[in-house]
Amino acid sequence: MTSHLTIKYSFLIISCFAMSLAHGNNLIHFGNQCLVQEAQLNKAKLRLDQLAQTKNLNRIKANQAQENLGYYQDKKAHLEMAITECAETTPNSAYCHQTRRQYNELNRLIKEQDNTTDIALNRDKSNLTYEINQANFHTRQANFLALCRDSDTHYAFIQNSEAYSAVCLKGENKETITCSLF
C-alpha cells in the first residue's frame, strides 16, 4: 500500500513539475510574442512619425507656394499697367522690352507656383490615410498594452524567473515594455 501511495505521490509531483514546465514554456512563448508585437508597433510608430513629418513639409511647401503666388500676381498686376503705358507711348523702347520679359518670366513663375501648390495639396490629401493609420496604430497599441503590460499573464510572466530570464535577459529586451515591471 505504501509503495502504491508513493507511486501515486511521485506521479502527482512529476505531473505538477511537468505542468509547471509547460506553464513556463507558455510564458516564454507569451513573452516572445509580446516582443514581436512590440517591435512591429515600434516600426509602425516610426513610419507614422515619418508620415507626419512629410505631411508637415508638404503643408509648408503649399503655404510657401501660395505666398509666392500672391507676390508674383501682385507684381504681374503692376507690370500689366506698365505694359499698357508702353503700348501707348514707346512700345519698342528698352524699358518696354525689359518689362515684357519680366512679365513673361512672372507668368512662368506663376504657372510653376500653381503646379507646386497643386502637387503639395494633392500630397496633403494623404492626411486621411495618415489619420486612419494613426487610429489603427492607437488601437493596436492599446490592445498590446492591455495584453503585454497590464494582464494577469504578463504579471505571471514577470513573476516567473525562468520565463523572464529566457525572454528579457537577451540583448536590449530588458528595456522593452514587455519586460518592464510597470
Side-chain angles (χ1 to χ4, degrees):
M1 179 87 167
T2 307
S3 166
H4 189 30
L5 190 59
T6 305
I7 293 173
K8 281 186 177 183
Y9 185 69
S10 297
F11 182 71
L12 181 63
I13 290 174
I14 291 172
S15 296
C16 288
F17 181 71
M19 286 175 52
S20 175
L21 283 177
H23 183 66
N25 285 338
N26 286 341
L27 290 175
I28 291 171
H29 179 71
F30 167 83
N32 286 327
Q33 288 300 106
C34 286
L35 285 175
V36 168
Q37 285 181 30
E38 188 169 350
Q40 290 171 343
L41 281 172
N42 289 339
K43 286 178 187 176
K45 176 69 172 147
L46 182 62
R47 283 192 306 269
L48 275 175
D49 290 345
Q50 290 170 342
L51 277 174
Q53 188 175 24
T54 300
K55 189 176 118 191
N56 288 336
L57 287 174
N58 286 337
R59 187 177 301 124
I60 290 169
K61 284 180 186 178
N63 290 342
Q64 184 64 48
Q66 284 294 106
E67 288 176 20
N68 289 345
L69 188 59
Y71 172 77
Y72 294 150
Q73 287 173 336
D74 287 346
K75 203 164 183 175
K76 180 181 171 183
H78 286 81
L79 286 176
E80 285 174 345
M81 289 189 298
I83 287 175
T84 302
E85 288 176 17
C86 278
E88 294 172 357
T89 56
T90 55
N92 289 326
S93 69
Y95 170 75
C96 290
H97 286 298
Q98 180 66 25
T99 302
R100 283 190 289 276
R101 273 195 294 271
Q102 287 177 349
Y103 181 81
N104 290 335
E105 178 64 13
L106 279 173
N107 278 332
R108 185 189 68 76
L109 290 172
I110 287 170
K111 188 178 279 187
E112 188 177 287
Q113 291 305 306
D114 274 337
N115 290 338
T116 300
T117 302
D118 289 344
I119 290 169
L121 290 175
N122 284 336
R123 285 182 184 157
D124 204 33
K125 288 179 182 174
S126 66
N127 189 30
L128 180 62
T129 303
Y130 169 76
E131 289 174 5
I132 290 169
N133 287 340
Q134 189 176 30
N136 184 15
F137 171 79
H138 288 303
T139 301
R140 287 179 55 205
Q141 184 180 37
N143 291 340
F144 164 77
L145 291 175
L147 177 67
C148 294
R149 186 188 72 184
D150 300 331
S151 69
D152 290 340
T153 307
H154 181 257
Y155 182 74
F157 165 73
I158 295 295
Q159 294 299 314
N160 185 308
S161 61
E162 179 184 332
Y164 184 82
S165 296
V167 174
C168 296
L169 298 183
K170 296 178 190 173
E172 296 179 6
N173 290 350
K174 191 166 184 159
E175 304 299 319
T176 63
I177 292 171
T178 299
C179 293
S180 68
L181 300 176
F182 304 104

